[in-house]
Amino acid sequence: PALHLFANGISFDMSKPPLNDRRVRKAMSLALNRDDYLLFRKAGSYQLSVLAGDLAPQTYWSYTEAELRTWPGIRQPHDQDVAEANRLLDEVFGKGKRFNTTCITRNSQTYMDICLFFADQMKQKLDIGVTMLPNEIAALATFTDVCNYDAQGGTTGSTTGDPDDRLVR
C-alpha cells in the first residue's frame, strides 16, 4: 500500500521479497524524513506539499498537526526513527547488510522528484540503493497492472479527502 504518511506516496509491491516483509516496509517508511520532503518540495514562499498526504491536517478525517508530530516517522528529531529502521533491517538481513531496489514512476518531473527524494533518503538513512525507472503513463501501466515493480513513486487518489478512497486492484 501507499505510505500515507509520506505526502505524495510510495507504493510497494508486497508480493516480492524483501518488500513482502512488513519490517522492511516499516523501516523504509520510518526512515523517510517528512520535514525534509516539505523543504524539498518548497519553491520560494510556496509550499507544494503537505505533511502527511491523506492524513494531512485540516482535511475532513485528519488528525491535528500536533497529534501527527507525536507519531513515529513524523516526529522530530528523526534520529530515533532512523535507528529503529536500521534495527529492523539488521533483524531481517543481518547487521549492516542491505539490498537494492527500483522505483518506477511517470516520466514527469513531479513524479520523478518523489522517486529521487525516496532514493536519496534510502541511501542516506538505510544504505539501500534505489534505481529510478521513469516511464510514459501507458508503459507504466504495463508494470503496475500486473504488480511488476518494487516501489512506485507518486500514487493517486481522489480529492474528496476520504482516506479510504483509493482503489486497490
Side-chain angles (χ1 to χ4, degrees):
L3 300 179
H4 293 294
L5 301 181
F6 173 45
N8 290 97
I10 292 288
S11 296
F12 295 129
D13 179 353
M14 297 187 308
S15 68
K16 287 182 168 179
L19 299 170
N20 62 342
D21 189 314
R22 68 172 179 75
R23 296 170 296 177
V24 173
R25 296 188 310 272
K26 181 177 181 178
M28 295 170 86
S29 179
L30 283 172
L32 289 167
N33 190 322
R34 279 71 174 174
D35 285 330
D36 285 352
Y37 185 73
L38 293 178
L39 290 173
F40 178 74
R41 294 289 299 150
K42 191 172 176 91
S45 62
Y46 293 100
Q47 186 61 57
L48 303 175
S49 191
V50 294
L51 177 64
D54 291 342
L55 300 177
Q58 302 172 4
T59 59
Y60 307 112
W61 292 278
S62 68
Y63 296 89
T64 66
E65 183 170 347
E67 290 171 306
L68 287 172
R69 290 284 183 187
T70 66
W71 291 10
I74 294 181
R75 60 189 170 195
Q76 295 290 331
H78 198 64
D79 300 344
Q80 179 181 350
D81 295 328
V82 173
E84 174 63 7
N86 277 293
R87 186 198 67 74
L88 287 167
L89 293 179
D90 288 346
E91 184 179 298
V92 173
F93 300 108
K95 185 132 179 89
K97 295 183 181 173
R98 299 296 184 258
F99 64 100
N100 294 317
T101 191
T102 302
C103 182
I104 65 169
T105 190
R106 295 181 195 176
N107 65 346
S108 71
Q109 195 61 52
T110 300
Y111 289 93
M112 290 188 298
D113 281 351
I114 296 165
C115 277
L116 289 170
F117 178 81
F118 175 68
D120 183 60
Q121 291 279 300
M122 293 300 100
K123 189 63 176 170
Q124 280 185 40
K125 310 288 174 54
L126 302 177
D127 200 28
I128 293 173
V130 179
T131 302
M132 182 173 66
L133 182 60
N135 289 275
E136 293 288 342
I137 190 72
L140 187 64
T142 64
F143 291 98
T144 57
D145 286 352
V146 295
C147 292
N148 184 20
Y149 62 94
D150 296 336
Q152 178 184 358
T155 59
T156 57
S158 80
T159 57
T160 64
D162 183 348
D164 296 317
D165 66 356
R166 293 175 187 265
L167 298 177
V168 180
R169 293 174 199 239

